[in-house]
Amino acid sequence: MSAGVAVPLLSCFTKTARKWAEFHKKYAAFSTYFYPFIWDRAAPATGPFVTDVDGNLIMDFVSHVASSPLGYNHPKLTAISKKLAAIAPDRYAGTDFVGGYGPDPDASEVPTPSHLHHELIDITSKFGFGTAFLSNSGAEAVENAIKICYDYKRNFGYGVCFMGAFHGRTLGALSLNRSKQAHRVWYPKLPHVIDMPFCICRGKCTCGWQVLTPRGGVSMSKLAFTLDPEMGLVDPKEVAYIIIEPVQGEGGYNIPAKAFIQEVARVAKEHYIPLICDEIQSGLGRTGKWWAIEHFDVEPDIITVAKSLRVGATIGKSEFFPQAERRISSTWGEGNAISTAVGYTIIQIIKEENLLENATVMGNYFLDGLKSLMTRYPSIISARGLGLMLAVTPETKELQDKILKNAFDRGLLLLGCGYRDIRFLPPLDVTRREIDLSLEILDAAIAAAQG
Ligand SMILES: Cc1ncc(COP(=O)(O)O)c(C=O)c1O
């Protein structure tokens, strides 16, 4: 690959795209909408390739922020959706009425929400999980996780979160966010949430996670110090949960030090504090393992997942879940027939097509390519990734904006995260050829951004 390969430019965000954007924005609440990509859902799409409303072919390497883990129109997913679309309502009161299908759950023609539970328990068996609760979004999965812990501990206690975290936009979840002020400001928040540094230090820790105690100058983690029965300011009995993203998503694709995650788990265990891993972005194979936390040899008590699963799920060790009616419930929780069947089928496809391995192998290949771009362009100051959850960091925010725009103008859809990072989340079945193509376009986009 040579610097600044000529890649043809698209006529992006012209005519029809502008028309759709204006039509949409007329009454839609103000939201994100930074990107000029307008997906033509009536046009062909397959794998990472999709057509926009102006007929441009786009390579989507963000997979709807990990929520379309097999790209567009996977035939097994369209088939199951089609079959279930013949039944209305597709969403039903699933925590009030169980939705079966035919006489025998063990020989059901289609997967139901109950089948999804079974699969989720299968892929968390190494943690000893035994209970799952399905909901409508990632934020709901987080809300239910912390509700479960508040109920379990019954201490009206502290929640512990980490700097850079993102856990969703409902009031409970946003109280735990530490990535951007805009997610939080002027919204009321849960009381008693304390935050800790999210340590990505390699070698000597300089982020504030390791502290010198006033007595004796012993080095220990800030979490251990804060909860220390003699020196700390918070009685560990007052803590209801610790919640952490094993790899931070929205906050900047931050890959933590293994020792840091292990220390968080150690302290949680020492004080009998439930450890929630938010795997809404990193889970279900994205990092080459079912759960990113597996990279750190740590056993969580509860996992939250959504996005790739197509529904929210709070999964955990059974003893943490309330054993009483009405404590956790929701009209459409447990009752999203099409999405739960699609989620179940996604898990089957990941198993059948060895996509955990593909995510590992292709992730390493992609990372090598990003690192080689970094050596050629000093303005790219970091390239990192775990499986197919990858990012680069340009020197400035302005450069990030330019690279994103230039990539899109050349047909590659990417997304920012953190302050000035660019994230890559291609489908889990991505090929070498597709990665090569993305690197070629990225190369041209960086070269053009530097002028
Ligand atoms: C780690 C994490 N937690 C929670 C959420 C919230 O999920 P949702 O947008 O489905 O509510 C997100 C969404 O980006 C996320 O990345």
Side-chain angles (χ1 to χ4, degrees):
M1 216 190 316
S2 62
V5 183
V7 177
L9 300 190
L10 301 179
S11 56
C12 75
F13 217 54
T14 55
K15 298 174 275 186
T16 323
R18 206 173 294 279
K19 205 188 326 174
W20 271 104
E22 278 161 17
F23 183 70
H24 179 75
K25 285 187 179 176
K26 186 148 192 212
Y27 298 118
F30 203 90
S31 191
T32 314
Y33 307 124
F34 292 142
Y35 302 93
F37 169 57
I38 313 270
W39 172 21
D40 187 353
R41 296 166 68 218
T46 182
F49 297 103
V50 59
T51 315
D52 78 358
V53 286
D54 285 296
N56 296 310
L57 184 66
I58 309 285
M59 188 156 79
D60 176 350
F61 257 34
V62 286
S63 308
H64 294 265
V65 203
S67 73
S68 178
L70 303 173
Y72 292 85
N73 294 331
H74 193 291
K76 288 184 184 163
L77 301 186
T78 50
I80 194 73
S81 299
K82 222 180 267 175
K83 188 159 191 160
L84 282 164
I87 305 164
D90 62 329
R91 290 186 185 204
Y92 54 89
T95 49
D96 297 292
F97 312 111
V98 172
Y101 196 97
D104 182 2
D106 286 324
S108 175
E109 242 183 85
V110 300
T112 65
S114 324
H115 292 94
L116 183 57
H117 294 163
H118 286 245
E119 274 305 308
L120 289 171
I121 297 309
D122 180 54
I123 61 174
T124 51
S125 59
K126 58 177 78 63
F127 306 133
F129 286 7
T131 303
F133 178 75
L134 306 179
S135 53
N136 299 290
S137 67
E140 274 185 63
V142 169
E143 295 288 340
N144 282 297
I146 62 176
K147 276 178 69 182
I148 286 165
C149 294
Y150 285 126
D151 182 84
Y152 177 76
K153 294 294 277 192
R154 300 200 168 187
N155 58 5
F156 299 108
Y158 285 91
V160 177
C161 66
F162 292 83
M163 295 306 292
F166 182 81
H167 297 293
R169 293 169 188 281
T170 49
L171 293 180
L174 76 80
S175 309
L176 309 165
N177 288 349
R178 293 293 185 275
S179 61
K180 292 184 180 69
Q181 191 193 74
H183 302 146
R184 290 166 46 88
V185 70
W186 292 115
Y187 299 132
K189 297 156 200 89
L190 285 178
H192 311 311
V193 175
I194 49 180
D195 47 55
M196 293 282 145
F198 187 85
C199 181
I200 57 170
C201 302
R202 303 293 187 260
K204 190 172 160 42
C205 173
T206 53
C207 71
W209 171 246
Q210 280 301 124
V211 291
L212 278 184
T213 61
R215 285 184 234 161
V218 181
S219 173
M220 67 197 295
S221 72
K222 188 169 178 189
L223 182 63
F225 178 60
T226 305
L227 302 183
D228 185 273
E230 280 184 15
M231 295 180 287
L233 289 176
V234 175
D235 183 338
K237 288 195 209 68
E238 278 194 282
V239 181
Y241 56 86
I242 297 173
I243 183 164
I244 192 162
E245 292 162 89
V247 175
Q248 285 187 337
E250 213 282 327
Y253 276 38
N254 300 317
I255 303 174
K258 188 168 182 172
F260 158 70
I261 295 282
Q262 291 191 335
E263 168 68 359
V264 171
R266 186 195 67 75
V267 175
K269 198 166 182 178
E270 180 182 338
H271 298 299
Y272 304 99
I273 301 167
L275 177 65
I276 305 169
C277 283
D278 181 344
E279 296 258 14
I280 286 161
Q281 192 151 164
S282 61
L284 224 69
R286 173 59 48 195
T287 67
K289 294 188 185 286
W290 283 114
W291 310 107
I293 193 66
E294 291 175 61
H295 291 280
F296 304 94
D297 300 324
V298 155
E299 191 179 283
D301 297 305
I302 293 171
I303 282 180
T304 55
V305 58
K307 292 189 188 285
S308 298
L309 192 65
R310 309 297 302 162
V311 288
T314 308
I315 329 160
K317 296 178 180 162
S318 298
E319 62 264 34
F320 291 99
F321 282 75
Q323 298 299 316
E325 283 178 18
R326 299 192 171 88
R327 297 293 289 164
I328 53 170
S329 186
S330 147
T331 304
W332 287 343
E334 304 286 339
N336 191 335
I338 297 181
S339 296
T340 50
V342 170
Y344 176 97
T345 310
I346 286 169
I347 295 175
Q348 295 299 311
I349 295 169
I350 293 174
K351 286 179 175 174
E352 285 160 18
E353 298 183 9
N354 287 328
L355 295 185
L356 297 184
E357 195 189 331
N358 195 61
T360 305
V361 174
M362 289 301 131
N364 288 338
Y365 180 70
F366 202 174
L367 185 57
D368 284 347
L370 293 175
K371 282 187 173 159
S372 110
L373 281 180
M374 191 172 85
T375 58
R376 295 226 323 281
Y377 295 104
S379 61
I380 304 296
I381 56 174
S382 161
R384 58 199 178 278
L386 206 51
L388 289 170
M389 188 170 180
L390 304 119
V392 294
T393 307
E395 234 166 8
T396 62
K397 170 101 187 92
E398 194 194 356
L399 198 55
Q400 177 215 40
D401 289 341
K402 279 188 187 166
I403 295 170
L404 285 173
K405 181 179 181 315
N406 290 347
F408 185 72
D409 285 348
R410 289 157 178 80
L412 176 64
L413 182 65
L414 301 174
L415 209 55
C417 61
Y419 172 63
R420 55 181 166 161
D421 308 279
I422 296 174
R423 59 181 141 179
F424 307 84
L425 306 95
L428 299 180
D429 54 1
V430 70
T431 64
R432 216 170 265 263
R433 173 75 195 98
E434 289 158 357
I435 291 171
D436 287 343
L437 190 56
S438 76
L439 288 168
E440 209 168 285
I441 296 175
L442 187 63
D443 188 340
I446 300 170
Q450 296 193 151

